[in-house]
Amino acid sequence: MTDIRNQLFINGTWTEAQSSLRSALFNPATGEQITTVPMGGREDAQSAIEAAYDAFPAWSQTAAEERSVYLRRIYDLIVANADHLAEIMTLEQGKPVKEAKGEVLWGADFFLWYSEEAKRINGEIIPSSRTTQRILVQRYPIGVVAAITPWNFPSSMITRKLAPALAAGCTVVVKPAPETPLSAIALFDIFAQAGLPQGVANLVIGNAQEIGQEFLDNEKVRKISFTGSTAVGKYLLEQSAKQVKKVSLELGGHAPFIVFADADLDAAAEGLIYNKFQNNGQTCICANRIFVHESIQAEFMDKFIAKLKDITIGNGMRDVNVGPLIHERALAKVEDQVQDALDKGAKLISGGVRLTEGEYATGCYYAPTVLTGVTRDMHIFQEETFGPVAPFITFSNEEEVIRMANDTPYGLASYFYTRDLATTMRVADKLEYGMIGINESALGYVQAPFGGVKQSGTGREGGQHGVDDFLEYKYLNINF
């Protein structure tokens, strides 16, 4: 692709970074260099924050219906350019282009949803204590928002943060993952086409530590929204306390996927295939520990393995189901977890190897892998995998599987399959997770609150709840 832009976007203008340093980007499917991008730093972050701060008064006072028009215009432009955006994403991230287009369109839906939600940020009138008094509650935008987004969903994680922030009347500075800046740049090109006022949305690319520290230290940033690792999220939360910044965090997960004895096994196997191998297992909500009742383990495994054989692997620009992992470090982590499990007694049913022949020779490919006999002492039971590995654990009763499912500091997503209503209600009550899929393996719906509990984060994105994190309350006590 020859029409790839590679600059920062600050105050409505495409610009180079203060530093002349640039970082090379590589295609994970081929190992080939795509382009270079600026290595922005603290000074660039300061400029972007200043632009957002200066733009905030006018944008926050813009009529909700007018803000809605901008958001709807952005939605229309993303949809019109979905094929182009998908190709850019596949080039830098690796996921199959048809899956990338699905992400682009899903991401666009956040702008559609919040274009309407912008007009529904209502206040309250509370019954007062005296006849000469009125108590009013207003909700107003918090101010400048710093949004830090990950590489696994490089388009939709930006739109899921920006759409509600802009709807609320906030201005934003985005810092995308260093692995996938081109998807962010392509979106900002669309924001410019939509005529978004200068300074309302800004993009800085480069040194994560410098940019992130400026977000933390700069008093003009009033809210940080972060999706990424738990370790980084904890640091942001700790440092934000110095200025009492508002923080929302969507962090790591370690999702259990439970198949009870009475489950529809075909539906469960189909759901697990989709959930586990979407984005090659590089999602925070994919099944990391698969619990199957001992009475149906053999039958369920047969169904799952049969479906697994239909998965095709290769360059995402082709018609395949699974692309490469994002980089060599991700590949090494998967290899280490699988080897640790095998060393401790797990049984390898399929996969378990890096793919290195033919078209796979220069990319980061790992065969879809199935392990059985997984136990609590294995790293794969304790740690998020972020790769195409399905570890199976058997259980004998409900109490046992609930205990194992909750045996983690994380609490983002969980799934279970059963036909029994009583089981559904009991298990849903006992699982310590912010999101639960019941006979369902997809959770990312624009109208629903996405987020976790425990060390998986705080705050919610999506739905009417998603806009709340960008608003403050003001109580007016009016007397006459």
Side-chain angles (χ1 to χ4, degrees), residues 236-251:
L236 294 173
L237 186 61
E238 176 188 34
Q239 295 297 308
S240 293
K242 294 177 180 179
Q243 295 177 16
V244 198
K245 295 181 192 286
K246 196 171 185 178
V247 179
S248 60
L249 305 170
E250 197 256 285
L251 308 176

Side-chain angles (χ1 to χ4, degrees), residues 292-302 372-373 392-394:
V292 182
H293 192 271
E294 59 189 10
S295 67
I296 48 97
Q297 182 197 20
E299 183 181 0
F300 182 74
M301 289 291 298
D302 288 344
T372 59
F392 282 83
I393 306 116
T394 58

Side-chain angles (χ1 to χ4, degrees), residues 333-385:
K333 180 181 179 182
V334 173
E335 289 178 320
D336 288 346
Q337 281 199 359
V338 171
Q339 190 59 54
D340 173 78
L342 295 176
D343 290 344
K344 294 174 179 175
K347 182 180 179 182
L348 181 65
I349 303 301
S350 66
V353 294
R354 175 174 181 163
L355 301 177
T356 59
E357 301 295 325
E359 68 170 297
Y360 305 127
T362 56
C364 298
Y365 294 96
Y366 195 83
T369 298
V370 177
L371 298 172
T372 59
V374 171
T375 56
R376 191 182 183 282
D377 63 325
M378 298 173 185
H379 293 164
I380 203 164
F381 189 100
Q382 301 294 337
E383 302 170 6
E384 189 175 28
T385 302

Side-chain angles (χ1 to χ4, degrees), residues 172-471:
V172 186
V173 180
V174 174
K175 192 272 174 199
E179 295 88 348
T180 54
L182 301 183
S183 291
I185 291 170
L187 279 176
F188 271 79
D189 211 6
I190 281 176
F191 300 159
Q193 292 177 44
L196 204 61
Q198 65 181 38
V200 170
N202 306 272
L203 176 67
V204 287
I205 298 163
N207 189 304
Q209 289 185 327
E210 285 192 18
I211 295 169
Q213 199 59 51
E214 182 62 27
F215 289 167
L216 291 166
D217 294 343
N218 196 312
E219 293 185 354
K220 292 178 179 177
V221 174
R222 295 308 311 145
K223 162 71 186 284
I224 293 178
S225 178
F226 171 76
T227 297
S229 74
T230 297
V232 174
K234 287 179 178 180
Y235 177 79
L236 294 173
L237 186 61
E238 176 188 34
Q239 295 297 308
S240 293
K242 294 177 180 179
Q243 295 177 16
V244 198
K245 295 181 192 286
K246 196 171 185 178
V247 179
S248 60
L249 305 170
E250 197 256 285
L251 308 176
H254 200 33
F257 190 104
I258 305 169
V259 185
F260 286 100
D262 67 332
D264 180 334
L265 299 189
D266 289 311
E270 186 66 35
L272 180 57
I273 286 287
Y274 167 79
N275 178 279
K276 178 71 255 186
F277 297 104
Q278 181 192 22
N279 201 18
N280 206 8
Q282 299 173 117
T283 80
C284 54
I285 62 170
C286 76
N288 274 305
R289 295 165 298 148
I290 303 159
F291 300 100
V292 182
H293 192 271
E294 59 189 10
S295 67
I296 48 97
Q297 182 197 20
E299 183 181 0
F300 182 74
M301 289 291 298
D302 288 344
K303 292 178 181 293
F304 179 74
I305 295 296
K307 293 180 182 296
L308 187 62
K309 291 177 180 176
D310 293 332
I311 287 183
T312 55
I313 309 161
N315 190 319
M317 289 298 184
R318 298 194 294 105
D319 185 18
V320 296
N321 304 118
V322 173
L325 292 169
I326 184 67
H327 45 48
E328 287 287 338
R329 298 189 305 279
L331 190 58
K333 180 181 179 182
V334 173
E335 289 178 320
D336 288 346
Q337 281 199 359
V338 171
Q339 190 59 54
D340 173 78
L342 295 176
D343 290 344
K344 294 174 179 175
K347 182 180 179 182
L348 181 65
I349 303 301
S350 66
V353 294
R354 175 174 181 163
L355 301 177
T356 59
E357 301 295 325
E359 68 170 297
Y360 305 127
T362 56
C364 298
Y365 294 96
Y366 195 83
T369 298
V370 177
L371 298 172
T372 59
V374 171
T375 56
R376 191 182 183 282
D377 63 325
M378 298 173 185
H379 293 164
I380 203 164
F381 189 100
Q382 301 294 337
E383 302 170 6
E384 189 175 28
T385 302
F386 247 59
V389 183
F392 282 83
I393 306 116
T394 58
F395 69 94
S396 58
N397 59 65
E398 183 180 307
E399 181 181 352
E400 177 191 20
V401 76
I402 293 295
R403 184 173 63 253
M404 289 192 292
N406 288 337
D407 185 17
T408 173
Y410 302 105
L412 187 58
S414 59
Y415 311 87
F416 67 90
Y417 280 71
T418 180
R419 289 188 173 101
D420 184 69
L421 179 59
T423 301
T424 296
M425 301 311 296
R426 284 195 310 271
V427 174
D429 284 346
K430 294 176 182 177
L431 285 174
E432 299 170 351
Y433 292 84
M435 301 178 288
I436 303 175
I438 304 168
N439 299 322
E440 169 64 80
S441 66
L443 293 172
Y445 293 92
V446 295
Q447 67 269 38
F450 191 102
V453 298
K454 299 196 289 187
Q455 293 189 34
S456 285
T458 179
R460 293 296 183 269
E461 295 180 336
Q464 64 183 20
H465 309 82
V467 76
D468 290 340
D469 274 331
F470 300 98
L471 296 166

Side-chain angles (χ1 to χ4, degrees), residues 155-176:
S155 180
S156 60
M157 294 303 95
I158 292 175
T159 62
R160 193 164 76 180
K161 295 179 188 300
L162 257 69
L166 298 181
C170 296
T171 54
V172 186
V173 180
V174 174
K175 192 272 174 199

